[in-house]
Amino acid sequence: MFEIKNITMIYNMEKTEKVYALGGFDLTLPDSGLIGIIGPSGSGKSTLMYCLSTLKKPTDGNIIYNGREITTLRDSEREVLRRNEFGFVFQRHFLVPYMSALDNVTVAAADNSGEAVEKAKRLLEGFGLGEREYKKRPAQLSGGQRQRAAIARAMINDPKVLFADEPTAALDHENAFAVMDVLKEYSKTGLVLVITHDRSILKHADRVIEMWDGNLSSERNGEAV
Ligand SMILES: Nc1ncnc2c1ncn2[C@@H]1O[C@H](COP(=O)(O)OP(=O)(O)O)[C@@H](O)[C@H]1O
Ligand SMILES: [Mg+2]
């Protein structure tokens, strides 16, 4: 699904203090599966994810997504691609504080109809947020429930790829594992990329990519890069 060649990101190109965030490596990612990206702070994990998801444009290299070069797309084409094919989960949930959990999920639906409400309910219920919870505002939910609502929102349009940048960093272990269960289930049909500092949440990953100083350092559970 993703064929990444010589991906390079240099921040502050115009300044003397350049930051080499991605060092020009190749990587191929499949259509489905749970892929972990682990590495120390500043190693380039988020930059890689933002480039793959078209939120950032790499300085050099190619990203072929389902046969299509996406680094040269126009802004409007990138937006359409993101809306139709990608979902995002971040460390912070970014739910709208004055809307119920259910409305937060429904409002993200491309087709904002009664069907979307039913689908949002199914997702939330599948993640352990029943009627009592999904009528609540984010502040009335636990951290783990908020993050599961944020994941339901990211899934409402059936994205082919779910990008999750430190989705469990603000959670205790029990909630972190509950979130990972939800992501693991989704990865049976879609590609789920999870950035984390915490190796223990990646025990069910199909593959773990390790980053170090803007490069891939090694892998487990998978072929060599
Ligand atoms: N917008 C930016 N401008 C300049 N440097 C940046 C920017 N974003 C990230 N960096 C730098 O790029 C490197 C990789 O950052 P990042 O991708 O956020 O790493 P990680 O997610 O692994 O912590 C770091 O040295 C970081 O300081
Ligand atoms: Mg990061």
Side-chain angles (χ1 to χ4, degrees), residues 23-41:
F25 57 84
D26 299 350
L27 179 67
T28 301
L29 299 173
D31 284 340
S32 65
L34 181 64
I35 314 260
I37 302 178
I38 198 158
S41 179

mmCIF file with all atom_site columns, all heavy atoms in Angstrom, residues 23-41:
data_model
loop_
_atom_site.group_PDB
_atom_site.id
_atom_site.type_symbol
_atom_site.label_atom_id
_atom_site.label_alt_id
_atom_site.label_comp_id
_atom_site.label_asym_id
_atom_site.label_entity_id
_atom_site.label_seq_id
_atom_site.pdbx_PDB_ins_code
_atom_site.Cartn_x
_atom_site.Cartn_y
_atom_site.Cartn_z
_atom_site.occupancy
_atom_site.B_iso_or_equiv
_atom_site.pdbx_formal_charge
_atom_site.auth_seq_id
_atom_site.auth_comp_id
_atom_site.auth_asym_id
_atom_site.auth_atom_id
_atom_site.pdbx_PDB_model_num
ATOM 1   N N   . GLY A 1 23 ? 16.250 10.704 7.371  1.00 0.00 ? 23 GLY A N   1
ATOM 2   C CA  . GLY A 1 23 ? 17.573 10.608 6.740  1.00 0.00 ? 23 GLY A CA  1
ATOM 3   C C   . GLY A 1 23 ? 17.634 9.945  5.372  1.00 0.00 ? 23 GLY A C   1
ATOM 4   O O   . GLY A 1 23 ? 18.724 9.666  4.881  1.00 0.00 ? 23 GLY A O   1
ATOM 5   N N   . GLY A 1 24 ? 16.473 9.677  4.733  1.00 0.00 ? 24 GLY A N   1
ATOM 6   C CA  . GLY A 1 24 ? 16.528 9.107  3.390  1.00 0.00 ? 24 GLY A CA  1
ATOM 7   C C   . GLY A 1 24 ? 16.533 7.586  3.408  1.00 0.00 ? 24 GLY A C   1
ATOM 8   O O   . GLY A 1 24 ? 17.473 6.943  2.946  1.00 0.00 ? 24 GLY A O   1
ATOM 9   N N   . PHE A 1 25 ? 15.457 7.000  3.920  1.00 0.00 ? 25 PHE A N   1
ATOM 10  C CA  . PHE A 1 25 ? 15.369 5.532  3.950  1.00 0.00 ? 25 PHE A CA  1
ATOM 11  C C   . PHE A 1 25 ? 14.194 5.054  3.113  1.00 0.00 ? 25 PHE A C   1
ATOM 12  O O   . PHE A 1 25 ? 13.332 5.843  2.706  1.00 0.00 ? 25 PHE A O   1
ATOM 13  C CB  . PHE A 1 25 ? 15.271 5.022  5.394  1.00 0.00 ? 25 PHE A CB  1
ATOM 14  C CG  . PHE A 1 25 ? 14.121 5.594  6.171  1.00 0.00 ? 25 PHE A CG  1
ATOM 15  C CD1 . PHE A 1 25 ? 12.854 5.056  6.084  1.00 0.00 ? 25 PHE A CD1 1
ATOM 16  C CD2 . PHE A 1 25 ? 14.321 6.695  7.014  1.00 0.00 ? 25 PHE A CD2 1
ATOM 17  C CE1 . PHE A 1 25 ? 11.800 5.587  6.814  1.00 0.00 ? 25 PHE A CE1 1
ATOM 18  C CE2 . PHE A 1 25 ? 13.268 7.238  7.742  1.00 0.00 ? 25 PHE A CE2 1
ATOM 19  C CZ  . PHE A 1 25 ? 12.006 6.681  7.638  1.00 0.00 ? 25 PHE A CZ  1
ATOM 20  N N   . ASP A 1 26 ? 14.197 3.755  2.846  1.00 0.00 ? 26 ASP A N   1
ATOM 21  C CA  . ASP A 1 26 ? 13.108 3.115  2.112  1.00 0.00 ? 26 ASP A CA  1
ATOM 22  C C   . ASP A 1 26 ? 12.276 2.280  3.095  1.00 0.00 ? 26 ASP A C   1
ATOM 23  O O   . ASP A 1 26 ? 12.812 1.770  4.074  1.00 0.00 ? 26 ASP A O   1
ATOM 24  C CB  . ASP A 1 26 ? 13.644 2.155  1.037  1.00 0.00 ? 26 ASP A CB  1
ATOM 25  C CG  . ASP A 1 26 ? 14.485 2.879  -0.006 1.00 0.00 ? 26 ASP A CG  1
ATOM 26  O OD1 . ASP A 1 26 ? 14.493 4.118  -0.010 1.00 0.00 ? 26 ASP A OD1 1
ATOM 27  O OD2 . ASP A 1 26 ? 15.137 2.179  -0.800 1.00 0.00 ? 26 ASP A OD2 1
ATOM 28  N N   . LEU A 1 27 ? 11.003 2.133  2.781  1.00 0.00 ? 27 LEU A N   1
ATOM 29  C CA  . LEU A 1 27 ? 10.123 1.355  3.650  1.00 0.00 ? 27 LEU A CA  1
ATOM 30  C C   . LEU A 1 27 ? 8.884  0.970  2.852  1.00 0.00 ? 27 LEU A C   1
ATOM 31  O O   . LEU A 1 27 ? 8.373  1.768  2.070  1.00 0.00 ? 27 LEU A O   1
ATOM 32  C CB  . LEU A 1 27 ? 9.715  2.226  4.855  1.00 0.00 ? 27 LEU A CB  1
ATOM 33  C CG  . LEU A 1 27 ? 8.766  1.664  5.905  1.00 0.00 ? 27 LEU A CG  1
ATOM 34  C CD1 . LEU A 1 27 ? 9.418  0.521  6.672  1.00 0.00 ? 27 LEU A CD1 1
ATOM 35  C CD2 . LEU A 1 27 ? 8.360  2.769  6.886  1.00 0.00 ? 27 LEU A CD2 1
ATOM 36  N N   . THR A 1 28 ? 8.426  -0.255 3.039  1.00 0.00 ? 28 THR A N   1
ATOM 37  C CA  . THR A 1 28 ? 7.176  -0.684 2.395  1.00 0.00 ? 28 THR A CA  1
ATOM 38  C C   . THR A 1 28 ? 6.200  -1.111 3.483  1.00 0.00 ? 28 THR A C   1
ATOM 39  O O   . THR A 1 28 ? 6.581  -1.820 4.405  1.00 0.00 ? 28 THR A O   1
ATOM 40  C CB  . THR A 1 28 ? 7.458  -1.862 1.435  1.00 0.00 ? 28 THR A CB  1
ATOM 41  O OG1 . THR A 1 28 ? 8.403  -1.425 0.465  1.00 0.00 ? 28 THR A OG1 1
ATOM 42  C CG2 . THR A 1 28 ? 6.190  -2.292 0.712  1.00 0.00 ? 28 THR A CG2 1
ATOM 43  N N   . LEU A 1 29 ? 4.969  -0.636 3.370  1.00 0.00 ? 29 LEU A N   1
ATOM 44  C CA  . LEU A 1 29 ? 3.943  -0.981 4.354  1.00 0.00 ? 29 LEU A CA  1
ATOM 45  C C   . LEU A 1 29 ? 2.771  -1.663 3.657  1.00 0.00 ? 29 LEU A C   1
ATOM 46  O O   . LEU A 1 29 ? 2.385  -1.262 2.558  1.00 0.00 ? 29 LEU A O   1
ATOM 47  C CB  . LEU A 1 29 ? 3.449  0.277  5.071  1.00 0.00 ? 29 LEU A CB  1
ATOM 48  C CG  . LEU A 1 29 ? 4.516  1.059  5.858  1.00 0.00 ? 29 LEU A CG  1
ATOM 49  C CD1 . LEU A 1 29 ? 3.938  2.371  6.384  1.00 0.00 ? 29 LEU A CD1 1
ATOM 50  C CD2 . LEU A 1 29 ? 5.054  0.227  7.008  1.00 0.00 ? 29 LEU A CD2 1
ATOM 51  N N   . PRO A 1 30 ? 2.199  -2.686 4.305  1.00 0.00 ? 30 PRO A N   1
ATOM 52  C CA  . PRO A 1 30 ? 1.134  -3.475 3.671  1.00 0.00 ? 30 PRO A CA  1
ATOM 53  C C   . PRO A 1 30 ? -0.240 -2.801 3.746  1.00 0.00 ? 30 PRO A C   1
ATOM 54  O O   . PRO A 1 30 ? -0.382 -1.704 4.287  1.00 0.00 ? 30 PRO A O   1
ATOM 55  C CB  . PRO A 1 30 ? 1.153  -4.762 4.494  1.00 0.00 ? 30 PRO A CB  1
ATOM 56  C CG  . PRO A 1 30 ? 1.573  -4.312 5.853  1.00 0.00 ? 30 PRO A CG  1
ATOM 57  C CD  . PRO A 1 30 ? 2.533  -3.168 5.647  1.00 0.00 ? 30 PRO A CD  1
ATOM 58  N N   . ASP A 1 31 ? -1.257 -3.499 3.229  1.00 0.00 ? 31 ASP A N   1
ATOM 59  C CA  . ASP A 1 31 ? -2.633 -2.981 3.208  1.00 0.00 ? 31 ASP A CA  1
ATOM 60  C C   . ASP A 1 31 ? -3.302 -3.039 4.568  1.00 0.00 ? 31 ASP A C   1
ATOM 61  O O   . ASP A 1 31 ? -4.235 -2.289 4.834  1.00 0.00 ? 31 ASP A O   1
ATOM 62  C CB  . ASP A 1 31 ? -3.493 -3.827 2.258  1.00 0.00 ? 31 ASP A CB  1
ATOM 63  C CG  . ASP A 1 31 ? -3.202 -3.501 0.820  1.00 0.00 ? 31 ASP A CG  1
ATOM 64  O OD1 . ASP A 1 31 ? -2.661 -2.421 0.556  1.00 0.00 ? 31 ASP A OD1 1
ATOM 65  O OD2 . ASP A 1 31 ? -3.509 -4.349 -0.043 1.00 0.00 ? 31 ASP A OD2 1
ATOM 66  N N   . SER A 1 32 ? -2.858 -3.982 5.385  1.00 0.00 ? 32 SER A N   1
ATOM 67  C CA  . SER A 1 32 ? -3.497 -4.133 6.695  1.00 0.00 ? 32 SER A CA  1
ATOM 68  C C   . SER A 1 32 ? -2.457 -4.592 7.701  1.00 0.00 ? 32 SER A C   1
ATOM 69  O O   . SER A 1 32 ? -1.345 -4.961 7.346  1.00 0.00 ? 32 SER A O   1
ATOM 70  C CB  . SER A 1 32 ? -4.649 -5.134 6.616  1.00 0.00 ? 32 SER A CB  1
ATOM 71  O OG  . SER A 1 32 ? -4.141 -6.411 6.307  1.00 0.00 ? 32 SER A OG  1
ATOM 72  N N   . GLY A 1 33 ? -2.847 -4.530 8.967  1.00 0.00 ? 33 GLY A N   1
ATOM 73  C CA  . GLY A 1 33 ? -1.948 -4.958 10.026 1.00 0.00 ? 33 GLY A CA  1
ATOM 74  C C   . GLY A 1 33 ? -1.669 -3.826 10.986 1.00 0.00 ? 33 GLY A C   1
ATOM 75  O O   . GLY A 1 33 ? -1.924 -2.656 10.689 1.00 0.00 ? 33 GLY A O   1
ATOM 76  N N   . LEU A 1 34 ? -1.190 -4.214 12.159 1.00 0.00 ? 34 LEU A N   1
ATOM 77  C CA  . LEU A 1 34 ? -0.840 -3.246 13.199 1.00 0.00 ? 34 LEU A CA  1
ATOM 78  C C   . LEU A 1 34 ? 0.675  -3.064 13.179 1.00 0.00 ? 34 LEU A C   1
ATOM 79  O O   . LEU A 1 34 ? 1.420  -3.997 13.459 1.00 0.00 ? 34 LEU A O   1
ATOM 80  C CB  . LEU A 1 34 ? -1.304 -3.764 14.560 1.00 0.00 ? 34 LEU A CB  1
ATOM 81  C CG  . LEU A 1 34 ? -1.032 -2.874 15.762 1.00 0.00 ? 34 LEU A CG  1
ATOM 82  C CD1 . LEU A 1 34 ? -1.802 -1.561 15.662 1.00 0.00 ? 34 LEU A CD1 1
ATOM 83  C CD2 . LEU A 1 34 ? -1.410 -3.581 17.057 1.00 0.00 ? 34 LEU A CD2 1
ATOM 84  N N   . ILE A 1 35 ? 1.097  -1.862 12.813 1.00 0.00 ? 35 ILE A N   1
ATOM 85  C CA  . ILE A 1 35 ? 2.528  -1.575 12.703 1.00 0.00 ? 35 ILE A CA  1
ATOM 86  C C   . ILE A 1 35 ? 2.895  -0.566 13.780 1.00 0.00 ? 35 ILE A C   1
ATOM 87  O O   . ILE A 1 35 ? 2.305  0.520  13.842 1.00 0.00 ? 35 ILE A O   1
ATOM 88  C CB  . ILE A 1 35 ? 2.864  -0.969 11.324 1.00 0.00 ? 35 ILE A CB  1
ATOM 89  C CG1 . ILE A 1 35 ? 2.192  -1.760 10.202 1.00 0.00 ? 35 ILE A CG1 1
ATOM 90  C CG2 . ILE A 1 35 ? 4.388  -0.834 11.153 1.00 0.00 ? 35 ILE A CG2 1
ATOM 91  C CD1 . ILE A 1 35 ? 3.013  -2.732 9.482  1.00 0.00 ? 35 ILE A CD1 1
ATOM 92  N N   . GLY A 1 36 ? 3.835  -0.919 14.626 1.00 0.00 ? 36 GLY A N   1
ATOM 93  C CA  . GLY A 1 36 ? 4.309  -0.004 15.656 1.00 0.00 ? 36 GLY A CA  1
ATOM 94  C C   . GLY A 1 36 ? 5.524  0.757  15.165 1.00 0.00 ? 36 GLY A C   1
ATOM 95  O O   . GLY A 1 36 ? 6.358  0.204  14.458 1.00 0.00 ? 36 GLY A O   1
ATOM 96  N N   . ILE A 1 37 ? 5.600  2.020  15.548 1.00 0.00 ? 37 ILE A N   1
ATOM 97  C CA  . ILE A 1 37 ? 6.804  2.816  15.278 1.00 0.00 ? 37 ILE A CA  1
ATOM 98  C C   . ILE A 1 37 ? 7.304  3.301  16.626 1.00 0.00 ? 37 ILE A C   1
ATOM 99  O O   . ILE A 1 37 ? 6.601  4.025  17.338 1.00 0.00 ? 37 ILE A O   1
ATOM 100 C CB  . ILE A 1 37 ? 6.509  4.004  14.348 1.00 0.00 ? 37 ILE A CB  1
ATOM 101 C CG1 . ILE A 1 37 ? 5.913  3.506  13.029 1.00 0.00 ? 37 ILE A CG1 1
ATOM 102 C CG2 . ILE A 1 37 ? 7.792  4.808  14.086 1.00 0.00 ? 37 ILE A CG2 1
ATOM 103 C CD1 . ILE A 1 37 ? 5.538  4.612  12.060 1.00 0.00 ? 37 ILE A CD1 1
ATOM 104 N N   . ILE A 1 38 ? 8.499  2.871  16.983 1.00 0.00 ? 38 ILE A N   1
ATOM 105 C CA  . ILE A 1 38 ? 9.015  3.179  18.317 1.00 0.00 ? 38 ILE A CA  1
ATOM 106 C C   . ILE A 1 38 ? 10.384 3.836  18.181 1.00 0.00 ? 38 ILE A C   1
ATOM 107 O O   . ILE A 1 38 ? 11.083 3.615  17.192 1.00 0.00 ? 38 ILE A O   1
ATOM 108 C CB  . ILE A 1 38 ? 9.060  1.883  19.179 1.00 0.00 ? 38 ILE A CB  1
ATOM 109 C CG1 . ILE A 1 38 ? 9.163  2.213  20.659 1.00 0.00 ? 38 ILE A CG1 1
ATOM 110 C CG2 . ILE A 1 38 ? 10.135 0.925  18.724 1.00 0.00 ? 38 ILE A CG2 1
ATOM 111 C CD1 . ILE A 1 38 ? 8.692  1.086  21.562 1.00 0.00 ? 38 ILE A CD1 1
ATOM 112 N N   . GLY A 1 39 ? 10.709 4.668  19.139 1.00 0.00 ? 39 GLY A N   1
ATOM 113 C CA  . GLY A 1 39 ? 12.017 5.328  19.094 1.00 0.00 ? 39 GLY A CA  1
ATOM 114 C C   . GLY A 1 39 ? 12.027 6.489  20.056 1.00 0.00 ? 39 GLY A C   1
ATOM 115 O O   . GLY A 1 39 ? 10.966 6.964  20.479 1.00 0.00 ? 39 GLY A O   1
ATOM 116 N N   . PRO A 1 40 ? 13.220 6.981  20.398 1.00 0.00 ? 40 PRO A N   1
ATOM 117 C CA  . PRO A 1 40 ? 13.292 8.081  21.361 1.00 0.00 ? 40 PRO A CA  1
ATOM 118 C C   . PRO A 1 40 ? 12.676 9.362  20.825 1.00 0.00 ? 40 PRO A C   1
ATOM 119 O O   . PRO A 1 40 ? 12.460 9.507  19.614 1.00 0.00 ? 40 PRO A O   1
ATOM 120 C CB  . PRO A 1 40 ? 14.788 8.255  21.611 1.00 0.00 ? 40 PRO A CB  1
ATOM 121 C CG  . PRO A 1 40 ? 15.486 7.496  20.546 1.00 0.00 ? 40 PRO A CG  1
ATOM 122 C CD  . PRO A 1 40 ? 14.535 6.521  19.963 1.00 0.00 ? 40 PRO A CD  1
ATOM 123 N N   . SER A 1 41 ? 12.390 10.263 21.726 1.00 0.00 ? 41 SER A N   1
ATOM 124 C CA  . SER A 1 41 ? 11.849 11.564 21.360 1.00 0.00 ? 41 SER A CA  1
ATOM 125 C C   . SER A 1 41 ? 12.811 12.257 20.386 1.00 0.00 ? 41 SER A C   1
ATOM 126 O O   . SER A 1 41 ? 14.017 12.230 20.579 1.00 0.00 ? 41 SER A O   1
ATOM 127 C CB  . SER A 1 41 ? 11.688 12.373 22.646 1.00 0.00 ? 41 SER A CB  1
ATOM 128 O OG  . SER A 1 41 ? 11.203 13.638 22.336 1.00 0.00 ? 41 SER A OG  1
#
